[in-house]
């Protein structure tokens, strides 16, 4: 057993550690939520990870995105994250998809190669495409709702989309999923009312999006290991 995961084995045992190391997870969207989810999945010992994003690291990402530093501004997010993840586990297998996931690009990613899908996309059209395709091929998925303009990470929770409230993104997703005959979806969402701002661009804090990412990782790892 790789010594870097010895503390993890103490909590979950070698059998579960083997399950994690033999798992393949794909993360869509490498922003504040997705970057934290991807890194914590790798630190948990996941052996293969897919990372999907077309964006470039911007200086405005530094306040919340785990891959964003002065050194990475201007880099492709997939390249910046790949470098960071390999510095955590050089034996990690990484599948990079440098693309915006949309209906016209979705065929570029074979979802059936993965055991679990993590949706941290902030575009409704893309989220719906991914969720519908995940449902069609029977791959479990967890989806992040909105974390912008939120100050209380303790109000984040994992639940079914039909039990959500307050969150504007979750409201839209509930309506659109119903139209597509998808009646359940595991999500991370916040019960906190968004802070009102005078900008159409959501604000963000250093702590709320990453906590959502860590909750996602907790759910994925416990699901792989069948731990309640």
């Amino acid at each position: 057993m790789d010594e870097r995961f010895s503390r993890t084995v103490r909590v979950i045992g070698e059998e579960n550690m083997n399950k994690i190391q033999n798992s393949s997870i794909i993360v869509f969207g490498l922003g504040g939520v997705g970057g934290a989810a991807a890194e914590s999945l790798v630190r948990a010992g996941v052996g293969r990870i897919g990372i999907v994003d077309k964006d470039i690291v911007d200086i405005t990402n530094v306040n919340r995105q785990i891959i964003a530093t002065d050194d990475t501004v201007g880099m492709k997010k997939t390249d910046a994250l790949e470098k960071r993840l390999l510095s955590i586990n050089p034996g990690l297998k990484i599948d990079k998809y440098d693309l915006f996931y949309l209906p016209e690009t979705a065929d570029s990613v074979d979802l059936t190669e993965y055991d679990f899908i993590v949706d941290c996309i902030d575009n409704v059209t893309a989220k719906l495409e991914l969720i519908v395709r995940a449902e069609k091929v029977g791959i479990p998925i967890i989806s992040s709702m909105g974390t912008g303009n939120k100050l209380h990470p303790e109000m984040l929770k994992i639940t079914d989309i039909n039990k959500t409230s307050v969150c504007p993104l979750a409201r839209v997703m509930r309506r659109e999923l119903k139209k597509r005959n998808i009646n359940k979806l595991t999500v991370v969402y916040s019960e906190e009312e968004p802070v009102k701002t005078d900008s159409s661009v959501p604000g963000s804090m250093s702590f709320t999006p990453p906590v959502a990412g860590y909750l996602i990782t907790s759910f994925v790892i416990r699901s792989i290991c069948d731990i309640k």
Side-chain angles (χ1 to χ4, degrees), residues 33 119-121 127 142-147 169 186-188 212 216:
V33 179
D119 161 34
C120 301
I121 307 171
K127 291 180 90 67
I142 182 168
S143 183
S144 174
M145 298 293 104
T147 60
L169 176 56
T186 301
V187 301
V188 171
I216 285 170

Side-chain angles (χ1 to χ4, degrees), residues 11-199:
V11 180
I12 62 172
E14 288 194 17
E15 183 178 350
N16 283 327
M17 189 71 242
N18 287 332
K19 290 179 183 178
I20 294 169
Q21 290 186 311
N22 289 322
S23 67
S24 298
I25 316 297
I26 187 165
V27 180
F28 289 81
L30 307 179
V33 179
E39 177 166 319
S40 53
L41 284 165
V42 171
R43 289 188 184 276
V46 166
R48 177 188 177 196
I49 190 164
I51 52 176
V52 187
D53 205 308
K54 181 68 172 176
D55 265 348
I56 303 296
V57 179
D58 186 81
I59 191 66
T60 61
N61 301 152
V62 171
N63 81 318
R64 70 198 181 283
Q65 296 188 14
I66 205 161
I67 58 173
T69 67
D70 258 12
D71 291 336
T72 62
V73 168
M75 289 180 65
K76 292 179 180 179
K77 286 187 176 179
T78 49
D79 289 345
L81 185 58
E82 178 186 43
K83 182 178 180 181
R84 185 176 176 93
L85 296 182
L86 289 174
S87 73
I88 294 166
N89 180 10
L92 177 69
K93 178 172 173 48
I94 301 179
D95 306 323
K96 281 197 305 181
Y97 301 91
D98 184 33
L99 57 83
F100 289 121
Y101 190 84
L102 292 166
E104 56 267 30
T105 61
D107 286 341
S108 301
V109 185
D110 184 356
L111 299 178
T112 63
E113 292 187 4
Y114 299 94
D115 303 306
F116 217 107
I117 300 165
V118 174
D119 161 34
C120 301
I121 307 171
D122 56 12
N123 177 284
V124 171
T125 300
K127 291 180 90 67
L128 290 169
E129 182 72 20
L130 179 58
I131 293 162
V132 168
R133 285 179 176 246
E135 173 86 1
K136 185 176 180 180
V137 297
I139 307 298
I141 183 170
I142 182 168
S143 183
S144 174
M145 298 293 104
T147 60
N149 296 333
K150 303 292 178 78
L151 281 164
H152 291 276
E154 72 275 14
M155 296 182 74
L156 289 159
K157 65 186 297 185
I158 299 171
T159 191
D160 183 76
I161 186 72
N162 296 302
K163 296 180 180 178
T164 58
S165 61
V166 178
C167 177
L169 176 56
R171 186 181 308 119
V172 173
M173 293 298 293
R174 286 197 306 271
R175 182 183 69 236
E176 294 301 321
L177 288 171
K178 187 175 181 180
K179 291 178 184 177
R180 291 159 176 79
N181 295 316
I182 294 178
N183 301 311
K184 60 182 180 178
L185 173 70
T186 301
V187 301
V188 171
Y189 96 107
S190 174
E191 296 180 314
E192 178 186 2
E193 290 280 359
V195 174
K196 288 182 170 55
T197 72
D198 57 3
S199 173

